[in-house]
Amino acid sequence: TESPPPPDTPVQIKESPRFKKGALVRVNRMKYQDSVESFASDPSPPEYIFKGPGEILSIKGEYAQVRWRKPVPDVWLPINQLENWS
């Protein structure tokens, strides 16, 4: 039998949740801050992306296309920056 790793060994945990098309989501503010996407966007992101809901239209690899319930363009965001809307 295989023994468990020593206590000081880092354990790899996959943090990015898996979503399906049609899922309602919002952006996790902590994961979005200081990301490549935040630097490539407006310095003060709109509050609605953090409140939600946005609907996932499509998923390709580690990115999801999100449509907001506002008259704004759809956006592609990394799945690991999204969380379920509640």
Side-chain angles (χ1 to χ4, degrees):
T1 64
E2 192 173 320
S3 62
D8 60 339
T9 303
V11 177
Q12 294 289 335
I13 298 174
K14 191 154 184 96
E15 291 183 359
S16 62
R18 296 290 176 212
F19 297 103
K20 294 182 179 181
K21 182 178 174 181
L24 297 179
V25 296
R26 65 180 171 203
V27 175
N28 179 304
R29 189 182 302 269
M30 297 302 292
K31 292 182 180 182
Y32 180 80
Q33 289 177 334
D34 298 327
S35 69
V36 172
E37 293 77 19
S38 71
F39 290 119
S41 300
D42 191 330
S44 54
E47 206 49 40
Y48 66 82
I49 70 171
F50 304 115
K51 292 181 179 177
E55 179 183 355
I56 293 181
L57 300 178
S58 178
I59 297 175
K60 291 191 179 180
E62 293 298 313
Y63 287 84
Q65 184 182 21
V66 181
R67 175 172 289 161
W68 304 101
R69 294 181 176 175
K70 303 224 174 258
V72 296
D74 302 339
V75 295
W76 285 91
L77 291 166
I79 290 174
N80 67 352
Q81 293 178 12
L82 301 177
E83 61 189 19
N84 286 314
W85 178 75
S86 53

